Amino acid sequence: MKKILLLAVLSVGSLFAQVKGDVEVPYIAYEIKMGKGFDAIQANCLMCHSFGYIINQGPQSKEFWHKKVDKMITHFKAPITDEDVEICTEYLFEHYGNGKLK
Amino acid sequence: MQRREFLKSSLVASAAVLGSTALSAGETTQPIDGRKVSKMAFPEKKPLITYSDRPPLLESPRGVFTQGLTPNDEFFVRWHLPEIPLHNDPDNYTIKVNGLVDKELEISLKELKTEFEQVEVTAVLQCGGNSRSAFHPIAGGIQWGSGAMGCAKWKGVRLRDVLNRAGMKKEAHFIGFNGKDNAAYYETPNFVREIETHELDDHVILAYEMNGEDLPYLNGYPLRLVMPGYYSDSWVKMLSDITVTDKYKSLFFMDVAYRIPDNECECEEPDNKFKPTKPITHMNVKSVIGYPENGMKVYHNSHLVVRGVAFDDGTGIRDVMISTDEGKTWEKALLKQGNGRYSYTEFRYAFKPNKYGKLSFMAKAINRLGEEQPFAKDIKWNHGGYKYNGIDVVTVEVV
């Protein structure tokens, strides 16, 4: 949860961390669209990857986004509920969709 | 999408892909170019085009590709799993070698550096999805421009020497590699690659140095696999385990991701995907112009030198041809080679623009087998947007 909270504020990473010892990788506050279903996206997607992964897939069909969410469950074992699969798909298609169902 | 539209819509901290495609099924164009670099720099890196912070995904801007060796701080970054160890202790770093071997080993980084022959190979590292943004309909995955690639001088030890010390058993058929990056969930498969024992040659090394320095943290410090000629999904970073087996183990990143149609053209239709598929392995012939860049203004009658890099899977580059008339006629660029067959071949081409207005440079590499880059429009579509190698085009304005 710490990481999710950090994303809410603009955080600045160190420029040149030492490789030996501790490394700090910057967090980037990706400008993702707000809207219905955002909470489900934040809860289910941010565990494993940044919003950059969503924004930088390019505009896609509803089927594409549905398959992406399914892939996270099938292949990456993300514990996403059936209800959230639908909510996330709707959100992704509405904000990062290409208007096509297939 | 027009480049201008893209530039207008690009965000400060991210390289968002917006807009829509009006293209019909299965077409390929030039990849998206000219994305802004981020204002934020990652450890040991200059600010680069930034797609994600977790896992880190960074692309080199076009201007980097004028040099035969890519500087470490401008070298692209691509991780798959989000949890990368944030504490490093090279003095106690070890890798395990196990499975079908006579003697299981735990070798320290120090032992690798002192007890094995040290070797060097200069090789190109390129993501299989480099230039994916050229594919329409848009292929799933990060919409890379042309900068998910770099070339470095890798120093380390031969994988073969390490395996010889462990002693591979006769039944050995596959060698699996795992790194220290982990998923957020325990059940998520690790990013593991396997190669077949016959793919093992003296150029395959475990590298701890890149261009004379320790590997950058984000490029797999302190040790990574180097597979010259192969796409980078095989070059496992922050290497921790080498496991020898007789049977092929099903692996997500080899069996589901990073696969292309197993047919002659390695292509398919968006509505009619081709099965079976095969993993991407050897790179095809490709070139990228580093200078000039799209949208630059150049002076009429000035001395312009087009510069860039070309490479393939190690067959070797024979020629790089330049066209200034949309591909109707081609002239040879001057080549500079000398870092071995897996490295970038630098090219330069002097040109005096004598007409005002738009001027396009095209670069086409040809390897020693006569294989050459196709025009972007002639590249056939595949669902993962892999292996794009269209003729590069840069358009400037003569003023």
Side-chain angles (χ1 to χ4, degrees):
Chain A
M1 284 311 286
K2 194 176 152 214
K3 278 170 182 167
I4 295 170
L5 291 174
L6 272 170
L7 267 166
V9 294
L10 247 181
S11 55
V12 178
S14 60
L15 282 182
F16 289 95
Q18 278 276 325
V19 152
K20 204 169 171 177
D22 293 322
V23 180
E24 193 184 341
V25 175
Y27 291 108
I28 293 179
Y30 282 92
E31 294 181 35
I32 193 159
K33 290 172 189 165
M34 290 296 150
K36 192 182 161 207
F38 174 76
D39 289 350
I41 291 289
Q42 181 160 265
N44 289 297
C45 308
L46 271 188
M47 277 299 287
C48 297
H49 61 77
S50 72
F51 288 142
Y53 247 87
I54 294 172
I55 296 169
N56 291 302
Q57 294 284 322
Q60 298 285 3
S61 70
K62 188 166 184 178
E63 186 189 26
F64 173 94
W65 283 121
H66 202 277
K67 280 186 175 168
K68 274 278 166 180
V69 178
D70 277 343
K71 172 180 156 186
M72 298 306 155
I73 299 168
T74 313
H75 295 298
F76 292 101
K77 314 297 176 194
I80 306 175
T81 63
D82 290 350
E83 192 190 350
D84 278 359
V85 169
E86 297 313 315
I87 295 171
C88 289
T89 304
E90 288 293 339
Y91 167 91
L92 292 166
F93 181 57
E94 185 180 339
H95 298 288
Y96 300 97
N98 61 7
K100 293 173 189 160
L101 292 179
K102 284 188 87 169
Chain B
M1 176 166 48
Q2 297 293 307
R3 187 174 156 267
R4 193 173 297 276
E5 277 173 36
F6 176 77
L7 288 177
K8 259 193 281 181
S9 63
S10 69
L11 300 172
V12 173
S14 68
V17 179
L18 302 167
S20 63
T21 57
L23 289 155
S24 58
E27 289 190 32
T28 311
T29 61
Q30 287 291 307
I32 294 173
D33 187 46
R35 282 172 172 146
K36 286 201 177 111
V37 300
S38 167
K39 284 191 174 164
M40 198 171 301
F42 279 65
E44 304 172 292
K45 296 285 174 185
K46 285 183 179 171
L48 298 171
I49 300 165
T50 304
Y51 295 97
S52 168
D53 54 335
R54 199 176 62 95
L57 301 177
L58 312 174
E59 176 177 327
S60 309
R62 183 182 282 275
V64 171
F65 303 111
T66 54
Q67 307 157 81
L69 291 175
T70 310
N72 288 2
D73 60 4
E74 294 180 284
F75 210 99
F76 88 102
V77 170
R78 200 278 188 251
W79 289 79
H80 295 79
L81 303 177
E83 305 300 332
I84 306 165
L86 291 170
H87 181 81
N88 297 291
D89 181 8
D91 298 334
N92 290 305
Y93 193 92
T94 59
I95 58 162
K96 291 196 173 95
V97 184
N98 52 31
L100 288 174
V101 290
D102 297 328
K103 195 172 75 174
E104 296 205 340
L105 301 177
E106 184 158 359
I107 310 178
S108 70
L109 191 60
K110 203 174 159 190
E111 285 168 332
L112 283 173
K113 289 181 179 180
T114 53
E115 295 177 14
F116 293 85
E117 189 183 342
Q118 312 298 297
V119 293
E120 255 184 6
V121 61
T122 303
V124 176
L125 178 66
Q126 182 190 205
C127 174
N130 190 24
S131 315
R132 178 180 287 128
S133 59
F135 291 85
H136 310 276
I138 298 173
I142 294 298
Q143 298 301 301
W144 298 103
S146 299
M149 63 177 207
C151 179
K153 191 176 283 189
W154 310 91
K155 185 177 175 186
V157 302
R158 291 184 199 94
L159 172 61
R160 195 200 292 277
D161 292 348
V162 172
L163 288 169
N164 281 348
R165 180 177 284 201
M168 277 200 291
K169 288 189 192 295
K170 233 185 270 164
E171 320 84 272
H173 192 179
F174 295 97
I175 309 161
F177 303 90
N178 194 8
K180 284 195 189 288
D181 49 332
N182 283 310
Y185 297 110
Y186 180 71
E187 298 83 6
T188 306
N190 268 319
F191 185 82
V192 173
R193 281 302 277 189
E194 276 182 357
I195 63 170
E196 293 192 52
T197 45
H198 70 76
E199 292 174 281
L200 187 59
D201 73 20
D202 283 351
H203 300 291
V204 181
I205 68 171
L206 311 180
Y208 47 78
E209 266 185 30
M210 181 172 165
N211 294 328
E213 298 171 358
D214 285 346
L215 291 176
Y217 167 72
L218 290 170
N219 293 110
Y221 178 85
L223 191 73
R224 77 176 300 165
L225 182 65
V226 166
M227 294 272 298
Y230 278 58
Y231 285 101
S232 62
D233 57 305
S234 294
W235 300 39
V236 173
K237 291 184 287 298
M238 218 175 261
L239 189 64
S240 59
D241 297 89
I242 300 172
T243 305
V244 182
T245 55
D246 56 347
K247 284 199 187 68
Y248 178 75
K249 203 170 74 186
S250 181
L251 301 164
F252 172 76
F253 288 100
M254 285 183 79
D255 297 343
V256 182
Y258 294 112
R259 292 183 78 88
I260 45 169
D262 190 7
N263 54 22
E264 184 83 11
C265 67
E266 298 180 341
C267 69
E268 60 199 328
E269 292 295 328
D271 295 332
N272 187 18
K273 307 269 169 67
F274 188 86
K275 297 209 168 170
T277 59
K278 61 187 174 187
I280 57 168
T281 53
H282 293 269
M283 297 192 290
N284 51 19
V285 61
K286 187 166 182 170
S287 67
V288 170
I289 297 169
Y291 181 88
E293 298 183 37
N294 277 307
M296 275 184 173
K297 287 185 167 61
V298 302
Y299 288 112
H300 184 258
N301 270 337
S302 60
H303 292 279
L304 183 65
V305 181
V306 178
R307 289 182 291 159
V309 294
F311 63 96
D312 67 354
D313 65 349
T315 302
I317 297 300
R318 188 182 73 199
D319 286 310
V320 176
M321 310 299 290
I322 304 290
S323 176
T324 53
D325 58 6
E326 312 288 323
K328 288 193 271 291
T329 60
W330 296 86
E331 280 191 60
K332 279 186 190 183
L334 285 174
L335 305 187
K336 185 180 158 198
Q337 296 174 314
N339 283 329
R341 62 197 179 100
Y342 294 111
S343 68
Y344 280 155
T345 291
E346 291 177 56
F347 65 84
R348 31 198 308 136
Y349 177 79
F351 187 78
K352 205 172 184 180
N354 55 14
K355 275 187 211 146
Y356 291 99
K358 291 251 186 285
L359 166 66
S360 288
F361 293 102
M362 290 183 165
K364 173 171 73 172
I366 304 168
N367 73 5
R368 294 200 174 106
L369 290 175
E371 293 164 341
E372 58 180 70
Q373 287 179 264
F375 285 105
K377 65 177 176 54
D378 295 330
I379 289 187
K380 303 286 192 285
W381 192 87
N382 70 75
H383 70 275
Y386 294 124
K387 297 186 75 170
Y388 173 89
N389 70 336
I391 289 171
D392 199 22
V393 184
V394 161
T395 303
V396 298
E397 196 182 349
V398 183
V399 295

